Amino acid sequence: MTGTLAGLPMRAASALPTLAAVGVQRTAWLMLVFPLAGALVLLLGGRRTNRFGHVVGVAMPFASFVVAVITFVAMLGYPASQRARDVHMFTWISVGGFHVDAGLLVDQLSISFALLITGVGSLIHLFAVGYMSHDPDRRRFFGYMNLFVAAMLLLVLADNYLLMYAGWEGVGLASYLLIGFWQYKPSAAAAAKKAFVVNRVGVAGFSVAIMLMFATFGTVTYTGVFGQASSAGRGTATALGLLLLLGACAKSAQVPLQSWLLDAMEGPTPVSALIHAATMVTAGVYLIVRSAPIFNLSMTARLAVTVVGAVTLLFGAIIGCAKDDIKKALAGSTMSQIGYMVLAAGLGPAGYVFAIAHLIVHGFFKAGLFLGAGAVKHEMNDEVDMRRFGGLRVVMPITAATFTIGWLAIIGVWPFSGFFTKDPIIAAAFAKGGISGALLGSAAMIGAGITAFYMTRVLLMTFTGHRRWEPDAHPHEVPPVMTSPMIVLAIGAAGAGAFLMLGNRFVDFLSPVTGAPPASRGLITPVSGATLALVVLGAVIAWAMYGRREIPVTAPAARFPVVAARKDLYGDAVNEAVFMRPGQWLTRLSVYFDNRGVDGLVNTLAATVGGSSGRLRRVQTGFVRSYALSMLVGAVLLVGVLLLVRI
């Protein structure tokens, strides 16, 4: 090899590292192969894989993470404008004028998601080894988790909307299987069905958008759609944007399709950490940011996105304030934090980078918080009611410490991650200007204060105060296989925000795909100062209510606002009134019209023909005497008529 290099011209020799990097990026499909192979082995291998199923389950996403890191490093070897690679795999569909290749787009946006999915996903898989150690179906659980990782990677790496749709449906299937993993529990089975049905609404919007793309542009590839989008007109761009938003609302649990996420906490806690905190629920944000060239053409679509995000971040925060179930309180937090991301994405180039930055750091601190909640549940005999916790910091010090770091990150205290990603979103909302900017920025700022309140409440009720445990509870620190992922995630929650945002490192990296936001105005601004003041106020109020007072084991009676929050702000009731009841009425009307209209007309026609034929049949009896009598009567009548005529 050395001799070969020596004989090459200088230019060719210097190009070899570049060619090697190209080769590395073109093997990005291996990121999909590893978890997919793990799922096939674990789900098709049967009981013979029970002994080593958890090892395969952890190794496969970790192998994908290694490939993602190598691909990322290779990408950094190029100038910023030349880092995207379209990797063709095979021809998928070729029917008439409809041609779709199965290909992967490896660029700055997709590799950011791939690193998050495989990196955080591997840590959650490792935690699940301990969490699911006594479950007889642990091998099947890891098979479903690997299947999810493969589907999520397909979603973010696809180079066209139809292949993204395949990944979109794949994560929906995996989510259904994992939420209902303990299907012997009626609540888990119902939650899985609810998540699946609600997401059908979003899938309908996404699929219609793909059909509209093909009808308008003749293609569903990103390059083809984005290249022609400006020539299609604002009406088409608005329609596409609103349809894609509908798909994003369902997958990312945004208003009005948010109700499934809270019920989804019925699944094992690693499922909540992986699917409903770090990856799947962020797919809607990815869809919007990936479709930036479409949304950039429609102010109406972007306004709808910002309104959905602002409303949801307040909805989720308010719901989180009233939940005594630790996992559901964190689920409300997930809704709220994704609301921030959607709000930022709706701001266009001024917010795309901040949406993805907050998404990445959210993956660290929210996964860590969920794993902390899972560790507590594991040691408290599957209890999730925070009113029956208290004082756990003494017996679970590592869990308490990592949870506290996640708490500081999510409420946005300097120098933890949330400060560097949430505050720029709030500032960008205010910078929009006008009444809309003031309303959006105020909503985001108020949401930050409420976040500090309910997350401080969760921390205090769980880890401080007097012990309110059940007599049979004997909690202690979870084993290292569970604490080590929490420690790594806590490190990310503490430092990822500063690493990404200081020096505009992440902004410069992602800008070739999303566009560059306005120049940074520094860390400490009037907006960040006011936000921090609200955060401190929210935490102090929570401490006064739950840190200084004894917490009753049974929740006291509450007035309407708290009752509404405990009932998820009547999200299910609204969906029932707006979607389910009208659907039932429409179904009943259709059945009535079919029975009385269509079937009635057909039955009436059949009865008329049948009655007429029955009566007509009596004319021909088959008896000769009847025919002779008829002939006689006819002859008499004919003679009578002739006589009358002659007269």
Side-chain angles (χ1 to χ4, degrees), residues 203-230:
V203 166
F206 190 14
S207 58
V208 172
I210 295 174
M211 297 175 196
L212 180 58
M213 290 174 190
F214 180 71
T216 306
F217 308 119
T219 181
V220 293
T221 62
Y222 298 151
T223 54
V225 172
F226 300 157
Q228 302 178 63
S230 59

Side-chain angles (χ1 to χ4, degrees), residues 9 59 101 174 320 409 492:
D101 290 333

Side-chain angles (χ1 to χ4, degrees), residues 495-587:
F499 175 78
L500 292 177
M501 303 306 290
L502 288 181
N504 288 327
R505 184 180 288 109
F506 190 66
V507 172
D508 295 339
F509 176 73
L510 205 60
S511 292
V513 180
T514 61
S520 173
R521 298 173 180 171
L523 292 178
I524 305 301
T525 64
V527 171
S528 64
T531 302
L532 184 58
L534 281 177
V535 166
V536 172
L537 178 62
V540 169
I541 293 174
W543 176 77
M545 294 178 63
Y546 299 96
R548 296 181 59 189
R549 303 176 186 175
E550 187 65 29
I551 298 173
V553 176
T554 302
R559 297 181 179 180
F560 171 74
V562 178
V563 171
R566 287 177 179 171
K567 294 184 177 181
D568 305 338
L569 295 181
Y570 303 104
D572 286 333
V574 170
N575 287 340
E576 182 176 344
V578 175
F579 297 108
M580 192 187 81
R581 294 300 179 191
Q584 288 180 332
W585 295 335
L586 180 61
T587 301

Side-chain angles (χ1 to χ4, degrees), residues 308-456:
V308 166
V311 171
T312 305
L313 72 88
L314 292 175
F315 259 62
I318 293 170
I319 290 171
C321 291
K323 293 297 181 184
D324 292 330
D325 183 324
I326 186 172
K327 290 180 65 178
K328 290 192 175 182
L330 294 177
S333 170
T334 297
M335 288 170 50
S336 181
Q337 296 304 306
I338 296 175
Y340 277 100
M341 302 171 205
V342 172
L343 169 61
L347 297 174
Y352 290 138
V353 171
F354 302 137
I356 302 303
H358 193 57
L359 185 153
I360 291 173
V361 300
H362 176 266
F364 284 103
F365 62 66
K366 183 53 64 63
L369 290 169
F370 263 115
L371 294 189
V376 170
K377 180 183 176 183
H378 185 269
E379 294 301 313
M380 295 296 288
N381 300 329
D382 290 335
E383 179 62 69
V384 292
D385 189 345
M386 294 184 291
R387 294 184 178 276
R388 290 173 171 78
F389 293 163
L392 289 175
R393 75 181 187 282
V394 177
V395 294
M396 302 181 69
I398 298 177
T399 300
T402 56
F403 197 96
T404 301
I405 292 173
W407 165 70
L408 291 169
I410 194 173
I411 67 176
V413 173
W414 185 90
F416 295 87
S417 291
F419 173 82
F420 294 95
T421 56
K422 187 190 295 182
D423 281 20
I425 294 175
I426 300 172
F430 277 113
K432 180 179 175 64
I435 296 177
S436 62
L439 291 175
L440 294 173
S442 298
M445 187 179 290
I446 293 170
I450 301 175
T451 299
F453 171 80
Y454 71 76
M455 286 306 304
T456 304

